[in-house]
Amino acid sequence: MEAQTLLDLPAVLALEIAAGQTPPRLTLTRDEADELAEHVATDLRGLVPQVDAARLALAGALFDPVELLRPNFPVWSTLGDLARRVPRGQLENVVAFGSNDGQMPAPALEPSPHYADGPMRLLPLSLLAPAELAETLSEQWELQLIGRGEAGAHTADWLMRTLGIPLEHVRYLTRHDLMALTCVQYEHVNLAPLWALLEAALLTPERDESAMSARGLGWHYAQGTITAQSPAQWLATQHGEPQQRAHDFAGIVFELRQYAALLDAHQLPLAMAGDDSEAGRGYLLETLAPAAANGSTPTLYAHEAPGLGVVAITLSQRDADGSVRVLAHGYPLHPQARDALLSRLSERYGMAIELQARGEVVLDESGRLSAPTQ
């Protein structure tokens, strides 16, 4: 097998954890991973006998779905690379990777504690199949796992005893199954447009994809980056009473933050449309005009919304006639990013950080995002 081209057929062992429970650890030791791999091999032989002609590789680590569904699928890619380095004949062509002194053999196989509270944990596995067998095995792999993929009783019992937590379900899913499940979950919370962008980034990264969010914000994927429409530009296309427009603007920023958090979890870069925009550490910033030499000292104004805090920061100048000249809008994507955004504006415009606020979103006479005239 070592001289042959081996193709990866990625899958997971999905653990649905009982409500209120959290795994006490996110990795298995080497010995534990080896033992689990033997249980998994037995299960899979019963589902797809042809697996004996392939190499089974398993990572003894518990991941959240967002950690596995990232561009180029780094967890499965690393698992496959490590498995190819192990000589055939060890553990009947079953190879497993666990932790040694608390560390996995590669950084990509280290789950992040940041995502440890999710209701489902996933143990990555893969079949490395000879090219001439891969198509047939893949078809059976997909068919049998979706229809009969419950883990065996010995496997489920071993996991509960080893991890010390009750499990509601333990089953095998192919990577396609996992993506389909994630798609349904995102659709359930009105994030279907986000999934369309993610799917393009994961499966057809060379292809552009556009989408519109549930609230109407435009999004685009191209060349590895997802770009959002400016919330201020979106607001400029809306109609209605000022109070409703301000409310809708806060809703758009809330949705933008949802998307940004998930894109960060899936490790997809986020940008904002416009030649004069930039993405910083947890914020988006758009520049609308240069500071006027004869204008007043630029001032910072915080737009606030109930339950969301600061949804935008506007930098403006007062012209000689008292009118407001908007220079830039910034959008903190989480509360901790506000200071970084303010520091960036202070650095760019050479001004002190003195933030004004009235506890509301301020619009001009045309209903555009602005700053107070007095």
Side-chain angles (χ1 to χ4, degrees):
M1 182 179 293
E2 301 308 325
Q4 296 175 305
T5 298
L6 299 179
L7 302 182
D8 295 63
L9 306 179
V12 295
L13 180 57
L15 283 56
E16 185 179 340
I17 300 171
Q21 300 290 321
T22 302
R25 54 196 172 105
L26 296 178
T27 60
L28 303 176
T29 67
R30 289 176 177 176
D31 290 343
E32 289 169 339
D34 288 341
E35 192 172 350
L36 176 59
E38 285 301 303
H39 289 300
V40 169
T42 300
D43 288 347
L44 295 181
R45 290 186 192 108
L47 293 170
V48 185
Q50 299 97 316
V51 300
D52 275 335
R55 166 169 292 181
L56 170 64
L58 177 142
L62 301 170
F63 289 92
D64 185 89
V66 298
E67 298 179 275
L68 297 184
L69 300 181
R70 290 172 172 171
N72 300 315
F73 302 108
V75 173
W76 277 296
S77 177
T78 301
L79 177 60
D81 289 344
L82 292 176
R84 285 174 172 84
R85 300 175 191 174
V86 178
R88 187 179 182 183
Q90 296 188 18
L91 297 176
E92 299 180 355
N93 212 32
V94 176
V95 293
F97 303 95
S99 62
N100 181 41
D101 292 332
Q103 288 190 324
M104 293 294 289
L109 298 186
E110 292 280 2
S112 170
H114 183 70
Y115 306 107
D117 294 332
M120 180 178 290
R121 306 304 300 175
L122 306 173
L123 282 143
L125 56 99
S126 189
L127 289 182
L128 278 62
E132 65 273 12
L133 175 65
E135 183 176 354
T136 299
L137 184 53
S138 178
E139 291 174 356
Q140 286 300 308
W141 193 232
E142 297 284 346
L143 179 64
Q144 298 301 329
L145 264 59
I146 191 63
R148 304 168 49 227
E150 286 289 335
H154 290 297
T155 304
D157 180 68
W158 185 92
L159 284 164
M160 287 189 283
R161 286 188 291 104
T162 302
L163 295 175
I165 56 172
L167 301 173
E168 298 289 347
H169 297 285
V170 181
R171 67 172 297 117
Y172 298 98
L173 301 171
T174 66
R175 185 162 70 195
H176 288 152
D177 296 336
L178 175 61
M179 292 185 68
L181 177 62
T182 306
C183 173
V184 170
Q185 291 172 335
Y186 282 13
E187 288 176 345
H188 184 68
V189 291
N190 290 326
L191 293 174
L194 173 62
W195 177 254
L197 300 167
L198 286 171
E199 188 174 46
L202 294 173
L203 299 182
T204 55
E206 72 288 348
R207 179 174 62 85
D208 291 8
E209 180 71 32
S210 295
M212 182 172 290
S213 73
R215 295 177 184 265
L217 195 68
W219 293 83
H220 186 72
Y221 165 80
Q223 300 179 347
T225 297
I226 291 181
T227 303
Q229 180 186 9
S230 153
Q233 292 299 317
W234 173 88
L235 178 64
T237 67
Q238 304 304 300
H239 305 283
E241 296 298 320
Q243 186 175 0
Q244 183 62 47
R245 289 168 66 89
H247 175 79
D248 292 343
F249 175 78
I252 276 290
V253 174
F254 172 73
E255 188 180 60
L256 172 63
R257 289 177 176 180
Q258 281 185 303
Y259 274 55
L262 284 167
L263 291 173
D264 183 62
H266 286 280
Q267 291 190 350
L268 272 163
L270 171 63
M272 189 163 58
D275 293 336
D276 293 321
S277 66
E278 66 177 78
R281 296 171 297 169
Y283 65 82
L284 297 174
L285 174 62
E286 60 181 334
T287 301
L288 305 178
N294 60 348
S296 65
T297 301
T299 59
L300 292 163
Y301 179 79
H303 303 272
E304 297 175 308
L308 296 179
V310 177
V311 293
I313 293 174
T314 293
L315 181 75
S316 64
Q317 273 184 312
R318 190 76 56 80
D319 289 335
D321 60 1
S323 60
V324 170
R325 174 184 173 86
V326 175
L327 306 180
H329 296 306
Y331 309 94
L333 301 176
H334 52 78
Q336 296 79 9
R338 191 187 72 170
D339 289 346
L341 172 57
L342 291 172
S343 294
R344 176 63 179 134
L345 288 167
S346 174
E347 173 191 356
R348 176 184 287 186
Y349 291 93
M351 48 178 285
I353 299 176
E354 296 180 1
L355 191 61
Q356 302 177 22
R358 294 182 179 177
E360 61 182 355
V361 174
V362 172
L363 309 179
D364 65 15
E365 293 180 354
S366 301
R368 294 172 179 267
L369 193 65
S370 188
T373 56
Q374 57 183 5

